[in-house]
Amino acid sequence: MRSAFPAFLVLLGSIGCAGYVEAQAGAAPDAMAWLHKIAAAARQVNYAGTFVYQHGNQTETSRIAHLVNAGGEFERLEILDGPPREIMRNNDNVTCYLPETKTVLIEKRVARRFPVALPEQVSGISDNYVIRKGRQDRVAGYDCQMIVLEPRDNLRYGHKFCVELKTGLPLRARMYSDRNEMVESFAFTQLTLGSGVNKDMLKSRYAGKSQAWRVDKSALEQSETSADTGWVLRNQPAGFNKVTEMRRSIAGRPVSVAHIVYSDGLAAVSVFIEPMPKSPPPAGPTYQGAVNIYVTSHADQMVTVVGETPARTVRQIAESLSFRE
């Protein structure tokens, strides 16, 4: 029944089961070096532990194990609160077990990495954020260095990372609004690093008992093609540039969906344009934690803008989108 949902939920919601130069607009060389270290840690460090994720009034506790070896990256994520869920990752192949509904979802990994979604190329981040070192702290028994990203305007959130001194792995990450209100946070409460992580920590709890469960591979039936969709922004938010433009085909939908992504080097905003459904969602703004959503219409098309940015950013993009004459 995935086709009953707006395209952005189908495409984004699946797993929800260059240099160190002082001239880089305010980023000190050592702060930029830490940023490079953070970006690499999510892919290269072996770790296992329990963490708490909080957004708004919602709090969720999870257990994770991440192992890198000659075969690539392997990961197990188990949600400990609410309905049981387990997500197993073998490089880019993801299997999600949902025992309550006896369902197995098989899909490809989305771009976001746990625990901090820093791109591999971080040099452009200092164009839109002031990057500096803060004080040292201690999280889950490990000493960590505070790295602060202060936005240069009110179109993006601020970030504070406390990263383990040797590996650069973020032990705590917090996101702040322009009013210095925390909109999202994660922190390890227990952690094992390095050689203490082994293959036994990645054994699935449900793989052996799921042979008779329903298997959903509909996410694998999506296809994408780079294309000029014809949609442009009349008033593009400062610092945000188009990084991807494509058309996506989704199983069960008669026509493809236009998908455009804008990014400031750290935050990303996705735009989805599709034919107006028979029962469209309410127009206007909504939010899910740090993610703001804005729905509007353009002729017979529904436009949905989704971004981990302040509401004003997604609204500006939604309201300035038009079809090229």
Side-chain angles (χ1 to χ4, degrees), residues 155-172:
L155 296 174
R156 58 210 95 231
Y157 290 131
H159 300 262
K160 294 181 180 179
F161 307 136
C162 206
V163 301
E164 200 272 325
L165 299 182
K166 295 181 180 179
T167 64
L169 183 74
L171 307 182
R172 184 177 64 219

Side-chain angles (χ1 to χ4, degrees), residues 94-170:
V94 176
T95 303
C96 182
Y97 296 97
L98 308 175
E100 271 201 341
T101 59
K102 290 183 167 52
T103 302
V104 181
L105 303 178
I106 299 177
E107 52 206 6
K108 293 293 184 180
R109 179 179 61 86
V110 295
R112 182 182 178 92
R113 286 181 177 271
F114 175 89
V116 175
L118 286 186
E120 293 187 34
Q121 300 298 324
V122 300
S123 56
I125 293 178
S126 60
D127 293 340
N128 299 298
Y129 301 84
V130 176
I131 307 166
R132 61 178 178 84
K133 289 175 61 177
R135 61 184 177 87
Q136 288 194 3
D137 204 347
R138 187 167 167 83
V139 175
Y142 290 86
D143 294 330
C144 56
Q145 173 65 54
M146 192 78 73
I147 304 298
V148 181
L149 277 64
E150 298 175 347
R152 298 184 181 276
D153 53 35
N154 61 4
L155 296 174
R156 58 210 95 231
Y157 290 131
H159 300 262
K160 294 181 180 179
F161 307 136
C162 206
V163 301
E164 200 272 325
L165 299 182
K166 295 181 180 179
T167 64
L169 183 74

Side-chain angles (χ1 to χ4, degrees), residues 227-232 245-247 257-260 273 323-324:
D228 182 351
T229 65
W231 293 87
V232 295
E245 184 173 14
M246 68 183 72
R247 298 204 69 90
V257 175
H259 182 196
I260 309 170
I273 305 106
F323 197 76
R324 186 187 303 114

Side-chain angles (χ1 to χ4, degrees), residues 19-323:
Y20 303 82
V21 184
E22 183 81 39
Q24 282 187 300
D30 56 344
M32 282 301 299
W34 275 106
L35 219 56
H36 282 269
K37 196 171 183 178
I38 295 170
R43 300 183 305 275
Q44 301 172 359
V45 175
N46 293 340
Y47 58 88
T50 303
F51 67 93
V52 175
Y53 171 69
Q54 181 177 356
H55 60 94
N57 296 321
Q58 304 294 318
T59 301
E60 187 174 81
T61 306
S62 302
R63 184 183 295 120
I64 192 169
H66 178 264
L67 181 65
V68 182
N69 58 26
E73 276 189 83
F74 304 87
E75 192 171 274
R76 176 180 181 265
L77 176 64
E78 181 182 12
I79 314 302
L80 302 180
D81 298 330
R85 287 156 287 163
E86 181 187 64
I87 301 169
M88 305 293 297
R89 179 165 73 87
N90 181 336
N91 293 312
D92 285 344
N93 300 308
V94 176
T95 303
C96 182
Y97 296 97
L98 308 175
E100 271 201 341
T101 59
K102 290 183 167 52
T103 302
V104 181
L105 303 178
I106 299 177
E107 52 206 6
K108 293 293 184 180
R109 179 179 61 86
V110 295
R112 182 182 178 92
R113 286 181 177 271
F114 175 89
V116 175
L118 286 186
E120 293 187 34
Q121 300 298 324
V122 300
S123 56
I125 293 178
S126 60
D127 293 340
N128 299 298
Y129 301 84
V130 176
I131 307 166
R132 61 178 178 84
K133 289 175 61 177
R135 61 184 177 87
Q136 288 194 3
D137 204 347
R138 187 167 167 83
V139 175
Y142 290 86
D143 294 330
C144 56
Q145 173 65 54
M146 192 78 73
I147 304 298
V148 181
L149 277 64
E150 298 175 347
R152 298 184 181 276
D153 53 35
N154 61 4
L155 296 174
R156 58 210 95 231
Y157 290 131
H159 300 262
K160 294 181 180 179
F161 307 136
C162 206
V163 301
E164 200 272 325
L165 299 182
K166 295 181 180 179
T167 64
L169 183 74
L171 307 182
R172 184 177 64 219
R174 292 172 176 169
M175 191 181 301
Y176 292 87
S177 71
D178 57 350
R179 297 187 295 273
N180 204 36
E181 297 171 342
M182 191 172 67
V183 295
E184 182 180 87
S185 72
F186 112 89
F188 277 108
T189 57
Q190 178 275 326
L191 180 65
T192 300
L193 285 172
S195 59
V197 182
N198 56 64
K199 289 184 177 181
D200 289 340
M201 296 178 178
L202 283 89
K203 289 183 178 179
S204 171
R205 183 188 299 270
Y206 302 105
K209 59 180 76 172
S210 63
Q211 283 79 3
W213 294 8
R214 183 177 69 89
V215 178
D216 184 349
K217 296 183 179 181
S218 58
L220 297 178
E221 298 174 17
Q222 301 173 14
S223 63
E224 59 187 48
T225 305
S226 296
D228 182 351
T229 65
W231 293 87
V232 295
L233 286 182
R234 301 187 308 274
N235 182 22
Q236 191 161 310
F240 283 86
N241 298 299
K242 182 169 65 178
V243 294
T244 303
E245 184 173 14
M246 68 183 72
R247 298 204 69 90
R248 287 191 158 182
S249 298
I250 305 172
R253 291 178 180 266
V255 296
S256 62
V257 175
H259 182 196
I260 309 170
V261 179
Y262 298 89
S263 176
D264 67 352
L266 178 60
V269 179
S270 280
V271 180
F272 301 96
I273 305 106
E274 59 184 312
M276 186 65 67
K278 292 181 179 179
S279 300
T286 56
Y287 70 94
Q288 298 176 7
V291 177
N292 277 285
I293 306 163
Y294 197 91
V295 178
T296 187
S297 61
H298 192 286
D300 59 347
Q301 301 290 297
M302 182 173 73
V303 176
T304 307
V305 183
V306 185
E308 204 169 46
T309 64
R312 61 176 60 87
T313 309
V314 296
R315 181 168 187 162
Q316 180 175 332
I317 290 176
E319 294 184 343
S320 66
L321 197 70
S322 66
F323 197 76

